[in-house]
Amino acid sequence: MASYPLVIKAVEWVNGKVRWLDTSLLPHEEVYRESSSYEDVARAIENMEIRGAPAIGVAAALAVAATVYNAPTSDLNELRTLALRAIERLSRTRPTAYNLFWALDRMKRVVMASHSDGEGLRKAIVEEALRIYQEDIETNIKIGEIGEKLIEDGDTILTHCNAGALATSAFGTALAVIRVAWYKGKKIRVIATETRPVLQGARLTVWELKKEGIPVTLITDNMVGYVMYKGLVNKVIVGADRILMDGHVINKIGTYTIAIAAKRHNIPFYVAAPTSTFDPKSKINEVVIEERNPDEVRKVLGKVLITVADIPVLNPAFDITPPDLVSAIITEKGVVTPPYTENIRKILGTGI
Ligand code: MRU
């Protein structure tokens, strides 16, 4: 695997603590926070200082590790109880991103395995969390290298929300594809949608691409149809919070609308995601779509009221894109194309 500069590290393990870039303050302030408390990390996930499916999963695993690493006891049962309490709390932070449950399941398996003593358990928990962190970065680079082959010199790629370094430990998923294409010398341009109501596109995607000199233009969400109609976009690449075995893609609200417009204009619609985003069990009607605070819609960035103060609003954080609108899913194990039920099974290597 080639090495690439990791310009932004959104989540890290530093001296036994979780360190994260508070993405809620970007692009105006670049503030790093750190803690060894699972409660602090859980709140940071809830209030979206840490956001994006892979980043949430990695941060949760590291929070379990930091809790146990710093616990003032070596008693096996006490450490196990503490780790399970951390896992339970962290699993209640955000309901949709599958990577959170995938990472916490991995941590739980280690916690419940047999260990000779407390120190053995502590070591195993920290090692597993660091593996999840390291694998995230390697996976993202692989997604970038595999997905880059779908990008042609001169492409203009539309992306939604932020599926970049700021949504992972580093490097991103959809933006990993864009990064690798750029590093390989392809002259590409990016169109980022602002992504109402939390503005991940306007605040995060443009900030991280600009930092690396990748040309990016910002549009409002309602300009997508126009730019496609005008022939200003060749490809769409987005991330995912959860992908079902039949190819349904759950991602940031607005993704579905973009996929419909892309289909109408014969523009390939790609999803870039690690295999840890695939939910092997749920059916579409079992997936919980997070409903967030109505004030995110009533106000801009929690500050300026743009409507009648008590107007009822809907605020689903994610939507569902049916498989027939998805041209391909780019994973670290390869590109999955339809028929999804058959091909996702093959790539995951499961007998499900
Ligand atoms: O609400 P957010 O900001 O956590 O939503 C993030 C997204 O929808 C991303 O597209 C998704 O998590 C993929 S990130 C690599």
Side-chain angles (χ1 to χ4, degrees):
M1 206 190 325
S3 69
Y4 299 92
L6 300 178
V7 178
I8 298 161
K9 288 191 168 179
V11 183
E12 274 187 283
W13 174 261
V14 178
N15 300 328
K17 292 184 176 177
V18 189
R19 182 177 195 257
W20 67 94
L21 173 55
D22 181 347
T23 66
S24 71
L25 301 177
L26 287 171
H28 306 301
E29 288 175 75
E30 197 172 331
V31 175
Y32 289 85
R33 305 193 188 281
E34 52 178 55
S35 175
S36 57
S37 142
Y38 69 81
E39 183 56 36
D40 286 351
V41 175
R43 288 196 190 145
I45 294 171
E46 282 166 349
N47 64 30
M48 294 177 73
E49 292 177 24
I50 303 167
R51 38 67 55 197
I56 293 170
V58 170
L62 293 178
V64 176
T67 300
V68 169
Y69 182 85
N70 293 288
T73 175
S74 291
D75 181 81
L76 178 62
N77 286 332
E78 281 177 22
L79 285 173
R80 191 170 267 148
T81 304
L82 190 57
L84 291 177
R85 206 177 298 145
I87 290 170
E88 193 280 324
R89 169 67 181 100
L90 288 155
S91 71
R92 285 188 285 109
T93 49
R94 295 192 74 189
T96 309
Y98 190 71
N99 307 60
L100 172 66
F101 305 101
W102 170 88
L104 290 175
D105 271 0
R106 269 181 69 165
M107 296 307 294
K108 194 168 181 174
R109 273 200 293 276
V110 171
V111 173
M112 297 314 285
S114 81
H115 299 278
S116 51
D117 57 18
E119 287 313 325
L121 173 64
R122 189 169 1 234
K123 185 165 174 286
I125 287 176
V126 172
E127 281 174 0
E128 182 68 350
L130 292 180
R131 247 191 312 273
I132 289 172
Y133 163 74
Q134 195 53 43
E135 281 172 21
D136 182 54
I137 299 176
E138 287 163 14
T139 295
N140 296 338
I141 293 173
K142 278 188 203 146
I143 289 173
E145 290 187 328
I146 290 169
E148 173 273 329
K149 297 186 175 62
L150 299 168
I151 307 300
E152 284 156 82
D153 198 39
D155 272 351
T156 299
I157 303 155
L158 185 139
T159 190
H160 186 54
C161 190
N162 173 267
L166 295 168
T168 59
S169 318
F171 214 66
T173 58
L175 297 194
V177 175
I178 287 166
R179 279 200 164 88
V180 174
W182 178 253
Y183 292 144
K184 293 209 165 165
K186 291 183 182 169
K187 299 220 170 359
I188 53 168
R189 308 186 69 80
V190 177
I191 292 184
T193 51
E194 68 172 348
T195 320
R196 275 277 290 157
V198 183
L199 305 178
Q200 291 92 333
R203 295 187 304 104
L204 309 180
T205 297
V206 300
W207 182 82
E208 80 167 77
L209 291 178
K210 194 163 180 282
K211 213 174 174 69
E212 283 178 75
I214 302 173
V216 54
T217 301
L218 179 66
I219 61 169
T220 61
D221 300 328
N222 53 1
M223 294 174 189
V224 169
Y226 177 79
V227 294
M228 288 186 179
Y229 180 85
K230 283 288 188 183
L232 302 177
V233 174
N234 310 93
K235 276 165 194 140
V236 176
I237 310 181
V238 297
D241 279 79
R242 196 182 279 241
I243 301 174
L244 304 192
M245 294 301 280
D246 61 4
H248 277 92
V249 173
I250 295 106
N251 190 47
K252 179 53 54 195
I253 192 77
T255 303
Y256 176 43
T257 320
I258 295 171
I260 295 170
K263 184 84 164 180
R264 171 70 177 80
H265 294 279
N266 289 319
I267 296 168
F269 178 91
Y270 297 124
V271 176
T275 49
S276 52
T277 302
F278 288 76
D279 173 351
K281 292 205 185 90
S282 305
K283 300 275 170 275
I284 194 61
N285 56 2
E286 295 166 344
V287 175
V288 178
I289 301 288
E290 180 184 9
E291 276 282 338
R292 292 188 60 87
N293 187 333
D295 275 347
E296 286 181 354
V297 175
R298 294 188 191 115
K299 298 176 180 176
V300 174
L301 296 178
K303 293 184 190 109
V304 184
L305 184 68
I306 55 165
T307 184
V308 180
D310 59 353
I311 200 77
V313 301
L314 286 176
N315 190 14
F318 304 98
D319 63 20
I320 300 158
T321 301
D324 60 296
L325 299 181
V326 178
S327 310
I329 304 171
I330 305 160
T331 78
E332 78 279 15
K333 295 187 176 176
V335 177
V336 191
T337 50
Y340 285 118
T341 303
E342 192 181 322
N343 291 341
I344 290 174
R345 249 185 234 163
K346 272 190 206 151
I347 209 137
L348 294 187
T350 67
I352 297 160

